[in-house]
């Protein structure tokens, strides 16, 4: 049974940021094991980034042949310059060992808000016109107002953080607006950096104040008989606006657990009651900056 055969569910995709960590969390043998686990289950969308050149090279050496995988990659920041950004996008294809990719996303939507945003977008359109990327789009945070950017640039794909804990873009109608514009919506950070699974004692110092709320959420899940992994996946994959849900794993065993959980029926939960409102907790970028 393939995930594609499950009706009305988003496509499950594989994030690869962990592949760039020291020693590749097990090296290329583990990457090949992850890919060998993903393909038979229909997990054939792979999300990578030019910022993780080592991960791209490792993937390029690990694809099965012929490869069933479709690749979405992301640009470097505009601060490196338009020519450098274009060069790195082309270089990503070389590292990955592919002639073309399914998509290219602007790494940070903040770059599109700036005065050079139109020039940046024109550069992506040129790469798409050359046939190097089938789709173009951007990766955004909740604060980036992705629906407004989508109206301005008419992207094929928008990637945004949405999770059971972070429901802001559901509650404010952003996902509805993106879907209404015909945008392919990819959800990322569906486990919010593992926050749901952290023991209270393991929380970063800047998040200790969120501990009681997280404990209550875990208790509500337990009282409903819901597994946290299954609940988090169900919330994301059952979003009607979503086309894909990107999950990051560090091992084939983790991926097998995710795939198994994705096949389970959605638990009956009061989703709104399971969200966090704390902005620091909802933005992992602040976990480090506020940790001191």
């Amino acid at each position: 049974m393939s995930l594609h055969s499950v009706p009305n569910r988003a496509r499950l995709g594989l994030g690869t940021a962990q592949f760039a960590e020291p020693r590749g969390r097990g090296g290329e043998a583990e990457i090949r094991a992850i890919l060998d686990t993903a393909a038979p289950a229909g997990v054939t969308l792979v999300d990578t980034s030019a910022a993780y050149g080592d991960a791209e090279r490792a993937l390029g050496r690990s694809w099965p042949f012929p490869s069933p995988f479709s690749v979405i990659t992301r640009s470097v920041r505009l601060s490196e310059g338009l020519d450098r950004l274009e060069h790195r996008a082309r270089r990503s294809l070389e590292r990955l060992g592919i002639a073309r990719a399914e998509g290219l996303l602007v790494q940070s939507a903040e770059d599109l808000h700036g005065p050079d945003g139109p020039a940046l977008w024109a550069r992506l359109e040129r790469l798409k016109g050359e046939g190097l990327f089938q789709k173009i789009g951007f990766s955004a945070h909740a604060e980036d107002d992705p629906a407004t950017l989508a109206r301005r640039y008419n992207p094929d794909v928008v990637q945004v953080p949405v999770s059971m804990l972070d429901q802001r873009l559901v509650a404010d109608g952003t996902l509805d607006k993106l879907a209404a514009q015909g945008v392919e919506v990819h959800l990322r950070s569906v486990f919010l950096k593992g926050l749901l699974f952290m023991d209270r004692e393991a929380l970063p110092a800047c998040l200790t104040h969120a501990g009681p709320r997280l404990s209550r959420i875990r208790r509500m899940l337990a009282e409903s008989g819901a597994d946290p992994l299954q609940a988090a996946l169900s919330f994301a994959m059952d979003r009607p606006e979503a086309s894909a849900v990107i999950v990051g794993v560090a091992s084939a065993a983790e991926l097998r657990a995710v795939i198994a959980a994705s096949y389970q029926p959605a638990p009956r939960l009061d989703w709104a009651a399971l969200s966090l409102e704390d902005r620091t907790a909802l933005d992992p970028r602040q976990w480090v900056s506020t940790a001191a």
Side-chain angles (χ1 to χ4, degrees):
M1 181 180 181
S2 166
L3 286 172
H4 295 286
S5 66
V6 179
N8 303 318
R9 300 207 91 192
R11 180 184 185 188
L12 189 62
L14 182 63
T16 63
Q18 292 90 334
F19 296 177
E21 294 180 9
R23 295 176 296 281
R25 295 292 295 274
E28 290 179 22
E30 189 64 62
I31 293 174
R32 285 191 289 273
I34 291 171
L35 296 176
D36 288 344
T37 300
V43 184
T44 55
L45 178 66
V46 176
D47 177 80
T48 184
S49 171
Y52 302 121
D54 290 343
E56 288 182 331
R57 279 187 286 267
L59 280 166
R61 292 190 291 263
S62 302
W63 302 123
F65 184 81
S67 173
F69 294 97
S70 301
V71 179
I72 298 280
T73 190
R74 283 173 279 166
S75 70
V76 296
R77 290 297 304 269
L78 182 56
S79 58
E80 297 192 28
L82 278 173
D83 291 339
R84 175 67 172 166
L85 184 148
E86 179 179 341
H87 170 76
R88 289 291 296 274
R90 295 177 184 275
R91 183 74 175 120
S92 285
L93 298 179
E94 296 175 11
R95 287 169 170 159
L96 291 162
I98 57 179
R100 61 189 58 82
E102 179 167 331
L104 173 64
L105 306 183
V106 174
Q107 172 74 14
S108 173
E110 181 182 354
D111 290 338
L112 292 172
H113 277 297
D116 293 323
L120 168 57
W121 193 253
R123 195 67 64 104
L124 264 65
E125 288 180 321
R126 187 170 79 185
L127 291 168
K128 178 182 176 181
E130 291 180 25
L132 298 179
F133 300 95
Q134 182 181 348
K135 304 168 186 174
I136 57 174
F138 58 83
S139 179
H141 293 280
E143 298 79 11
D144 292 319
D145 194 4
T148 296
L149 279 179
R151 287 195 299 272
R152 184 179 306 165
Y153 291 104
N154 194 28
D156 302 304
V157 182
V158 172
Q159 191 182 96
V160 288
V162 171
S163 67
M164 184 178 69
L165 296 179
D166 183 1
Q167 301 182 30
R168 289 175 293 173
L169 296 181
V170 176
D172 69 7
T174 293
L175 291 193
D176 279 333
K177 293 173 185 176
L178 291 172
Q181 293 177 61
V183 175
E184 188 173 309
V185 179
H186 291 190
L187 307 185
R188 69 170 193 275
S189 300
V190 297
F191 302 132
L192 198 59
K193 297 291 185 181
L195 187 60
L196 181 63
F197 314 115
M198 290 182 193
D199 293 332
R200 193 165 176 177
E201 296 75 19
L203 290 173
C206 62
L207 298 184
T208 53
H209 65 280
R213 173 62 180 158
L214 286 166
S215 295
R216 284 195 295 274
I217 290 173
R218 282 191 284 266
R219 187 166 59 251
M220 284 188 283
L221 290 173
E223 290 171 351
S224 299
D227 175 72
L229 177 62
Q230 177 193 354
L233 273 175
S234 291
F235 177 82
M237 295 187 72
D238 290 337
R239 292 306 316 166
E241 312 91 343
S243 299
V245 171
I246 308 299
V247 297
V249 298
S251 69
E254 287 185 7
L255 180 57
R256 284 193 292 271
V258 167
I259 291 170
S262 72
Y263 285 124
Q264 299 303 311
R268 294 189 175 184
L269 295 166
D270 180 0
W271 296 114
L274 299 171
S275 64
L276 281 175
E277 303 300 331
D278 183 273
R279 288 190 172 273
T280 299
L282 295 178
D283 189 352
R285 295 172 298 175
Q286 297 189 44
W287 295 4
V288 175
S289 63
T290 61

